[in-house]
Amino acid sequence: MNILLVTLDQFRADCLSCAGHPLVKTPHLDALAADGLRLARHYSQAAPCGPGRASLYTGLYQMNHRVVANGTPLDARFDNVALAARRAGYAPALFGYTDQAFDPRAADGPGDPRLVSYEEVLPGFDPVCHLPSGAPAPWLKFLKGQDFDFGDDAVAALRSEPEREEDLSMASFLTDRFLGWMRRQVRPWFAHLSHLRPHPPYAAAGRFADMYDPADVPAPIAAGDQHPLLTAVRQLFPRLAAPADPAVMRQLAAQYFGMVSEVDYQLGRVWAALRAAGQWDDTMIVVTADHGEQLSDHGLMQKLGYFEQSYHVLGIIRDPRPTAVRGAVSQAFTENVDLLPTLCDAMGLPIPAQCDGASLAPLLRGETPAGWREAAHWEYDWRFLLGSPAAAWDPAQERQSLAVRRDAVSAYVQLADGQALAFDLAADPTWRTALTDPAAVLTKAQAMLAWRAQHLDRTLSGALIDHGVTGRPPADAGASDVPVEPSDATINK
C-alpha cells in the first residue's frame, strides 16, 4: 500500500461537521470518515508541538521520550515512524515539518547547523518540501515571485493570508508540492503531509477568512476554579489568555474555523488526485493532530495545561483493504502513541518494543480488543514556560509537570509537586465540577499509578540473556545445566 500520514496542527476534535459541530464545515474530512474509521475519543499525549509530535512519531509517552518542550532533543536511540517505513522498503517523504530537535550527541561539533533550530527533520524522512513554521523559505520565495515580498518574516506572511487568494496560502503551496511529487511516483510510497493550519496566527486564507460570521460563533466554556499555574499563565502571557472582549474572541474563533475549512479543502484536492490516479484503493490514509486548541475555553488560548481541549484531537483512518470498516465510529479511547504500532502492522513490521501504544488494527476490522484501555492519558511539562532553562539539571524542574488520566466519567490530574485535581465529568463534562468522593479520587490515583508502572521503558526488559543467547529460550530447550534459583527458573520459563 501507499501510506499517507497527515497531521493538521492544533486541530481540536470537535471541529468536524461529522462530529456534530454546529458551525464548522469539513466535507472532505467527513467523506474520509464515511469511507473509513473515525476515532471519536482520540487524544494527543503532550503539548506543545515538539512534545506532542515526539509521542506521535515514536509511540512513546512523554515520561519515556522526555521531550518536554519545543527544543528538547529527541534521543537518537528511539525508533520512529520514518525509520520503520525505511525498514519496510519505503523512502518516506516529508512535506511540511516535524518539529523535532536534533540529538546534540550525534552532532558534527558545536557548529553543526542542526543545532540551531528545534524545527529539524525527524531522522528517516527525506525532506522533499521542508516548511518549518518559523522559516518556510520555499513558500516565502514563492510568494516573492507573486509580488508578495515578506523577506524572512513568516508570521507577517501568515497574518496577511486573508488579503490573498487561497491558492497562494501556505496550505495550498504545500498541497501543490505534494501532488506534484505524488504524480511522479512509480512504486508504493510513504508520505507525511504535515500542515501548519489551523495553527495561529488566527488568519484564514482568501475566501475562508469570511466563511464564518463571528456572530454565529458558539460561546466558550467559562473559566472556573483553576490551578494557580493557569491563573499565572493568563497573567504572564497575554497571548495565552482568552480575549477579554467577546467580539475579539468570536473573531479569532471565526478565523480558526476558516483555517479548519481551508485545510479540509486542500485535503479534498488530495483525495480527488488519489482517485484520479487510480490510487485511492491502494492508499492507507491516517489523519490526526499533534495537539488541540483551547479557543477561549476555560479562559485560555492555544495549548497548555490539563484541559482536554488541548489534547482531544481528530483521528480518522481509511484502510483500503477489504476487511476494513467503512463509515464506522469508535468510542474506544485511542491515542497518538497507537499510530506507530498501527502503521507497523500495516507495513508488515513487528511493533517496536519501545512502544507505549497498541495497534488499532482490530478497530479497523470492527473488532473490540479484549483488555483495551479504559482511559486516555496525556502529560504537560511547563519548566520552560515560567523560566529559562537551567545551565545544569535542577531537581526543582521535575516538579513543574503534570499527568492526566481521563476515563468515561472522570478526569484525574496528578501534578509532580504532589498536588492533585479530580473532575466529575459524569455530572459536568466541562471540567468545572470537582470529584469530591475520597474513595473515588483514590481509585483514580491508583489507576494513574498503575498506568505509569505499566509503561516503564521496556526496550530490553523483554529479553533474557542465558548461555549467550539473547531472548527467551525455545519451549523445548529443556532444563539448564547451570544451577539457578527457583525464582530465576520460573522467569526463564
Side-chain angles (χ1 to χ4, degrees):
M1 292 184 292
N2 303 321
I3 294 179
L4 176 59
L5 171 61
V6 179
T7 52
L8 307 176
D9 201 317
Q10 212 148 313
F11 196 123
R12 48 188 274 169
D14 61 357
C15 287
L16 289 169
S17 39
C18 64
H21 197 279
L23 186 59
V24 180
K25 303 302 180 187
T26 53
H28 304 291
L29 286 167
D30 295 354
L32 185 71
D35 202 20
L37 173 67
R38 181 168 70 86
L39 304 170
R41 288 176 165 176
H42 190 67
Y43 290 82
S44 166
Q45 272 55 76
C49 299
R53 288 173 181 270
S55 288
L56 189 159
Y57 296 137
T58 66
L60 289 163
Y61 291 126
Q62 186 179 60
M63 62 182 173
N64 285 326
H65 65 62
R66 303 304 296 146
V67 176
V68 296
N70 288 342
T72 306
L74 178 64
D75 196 318
R77 71 186 172 96
F78 292 134
D79 201 358
N80 67 57
V81 67
L83 296 175
R86 286 198 177 277
R87 292 197 299 275
Y90 294 93
L94 171 66
F95 296 84
Y97 58 96
T98 56
D99 276 357
Q100 295 304 290
F102 185 68
D103 188 334
R105 296 168 299 182
D108 298 327
D112 193 317
R114 293 171 293 182
L115 301 179
V116 174
S117 169
Y118 78 87
E119 295 183 298
E120 278 301 315
V121 175
L122 184 75
F125 274 121
D126 293 331
V128 177
C129 183
H130 187 208
L131 284 187
S133 59
W139 178 56
L140 294 174
K141 182 179 179 181
F142 166 76
L143 287 180
K144 186 175 182 179
Q146 303 295 319
D147 297 325
F148 297 99
D149 189 356
F150 296 95
D152 296 328
D153 193 342
V155 174
L158 289 166
R159 284 177 176 161
S160 67
E161 289 212 310
E163 303 165 14
R164 297 186 300 276
E165 295 295 326
E166 66 264 15
D167 60 359
L168 299 180
S169 72
M170 178 187 275
S172 179
F173 176 85
L174 190 65
T175 303
D176 289 344
R177 297 308 177 272
F178 166 71
L179 293 178
W181 172 88
M182 188 195 81
R183 295 183 182 109
R184 297 191 300 270
Q185 302 311 298
V186 294
R187 62 173 184 172
W189 47 262
F190 185 114
H192 179 19
L193 182 56
S194 177
H195 278 288
L196 176 66
R197 297 310 206 172
H199 188 286
Y202 302 94
R207 61 187 170 95
F208 295 98
D210 300 317
M211 189 170 183
Y212 299 104
D213 187 341
D216 296 332
V217 170
I221 298 172
D225 293 335
Q226 295 180 358
H227 187 271
L229 161 68
L230 301 183
T231 302
V233 164
R234 292 200 304 271
Q235 294 172 348
L236 295 173
F237 302 96
R239 65 184 177 84
L240 300 179
D245 185 344
V248 175
M249 181 281 296
R250 289 193 294 268
Q251 175 64 24
L252 292 180
Q255 291 301 304
Y256 177 83
F257 297 155
M259 292 190 289
V260 166
S261 287
E262 195 233 345
V263 80
D264 175 82
Y265 168 77
Q266 299 299 339
L267 291 178
R269 296 176 59 206
V270 174
W271 309 164
L274 286 169
R275 291 183 184 278
Q279 298 186 50
W280 181 253
D281 289 327
D282 299 321
T283 304
M284 172 177 268
I285 303 173
V286 178
V287 184
T288 190
D290 49 0
H291 51 72
E293 158 69 61
Q294 286 296 136
L295 208 63
S296 293
D297 283 338
H298 299 284
L300 298 164
M301 295 295 291
Q302 299 201 38
K303 59 280 184 182
L304 74 158
Y306 46 80
F307 293 117
E308 72 176 315
Q309 285 81 9
S310 286
Y311 305 93
H312 188 197
V313 296
L314 86 164
I316 303 174
I317 302 178
R318 199 270 178 180
D319 186 337
R321 291 172 290 190
T323 57
V325 296
R326 297 282 176 261
V329 178
S330 173
Q331 296 295 333
F333 283 106
T334 58
E335 302 178 333
N336 269 351
V337 293
D338 299 330
L339 298 184
L340 174 56
T342 303
L343 290 174
C344 284
D345 251 353
M347 294 185 290
L349 297 175
I351 296 172
Q354 72 182 31
C355 286
D356 289 318
S359 173
L360 301 175
L363 297 180
L364 291 171
R365 296 190 297 268
E367 302 170 2
T368 302
W372 191 261
R373 70 173 68 89
E374 298 177 350
H377 312 82
W378 58 86
E379 300 168 90
Y380 182 69
D381 194 299
W382 65 87
R383 71 184 68 201
F384 297 144
L385 187 61
L386 302 180
S388 59
W393 176 66
D394 179 359
Q397 291 183 345
E398 303 309 321
R399 294 194 288 271
Q400 296 173 332
S401 66
L402 58 85
V404 179
R405 181 185 184 274
R406 190 255 199 260
D407 60 31
V409 296
S410 64
Y412 179 79
V413 183
Q414 180 65 59
L415 291 95
D417 63 3
Q419 299 181 70
L421 306 168
F423 298 95
D424 186 344
L425 304 185
D428 175 12
T430 69
W431 292 59
R432 292 182 296 176
T433 299
L435 183 64
T436 56
D437 178 5
V441 174
L442 176 60
T443 298
K444 307 304 178 183
Q446 291 171 328
M448 168 77 76
L449 183 60
W451 167 71
R452 295 188 72 90
Q454 292 164 13
H455 289 91
L456 299 174
D457 189 324
R458 70 199 63 81
T459 306
L460 293 177
S461 60
L464 296 176
I465 297 178
D466 193 10
H467 303 290
V469 177
T470 301
R472 298 188 182 278
D476 60 351
S480 170
D481 58 358
V482 178
V484 294
E485 294 295 328
S487 59
D488 290 336
T490 301
I491 292 172
N492 282 340
K493 290 178 182 176

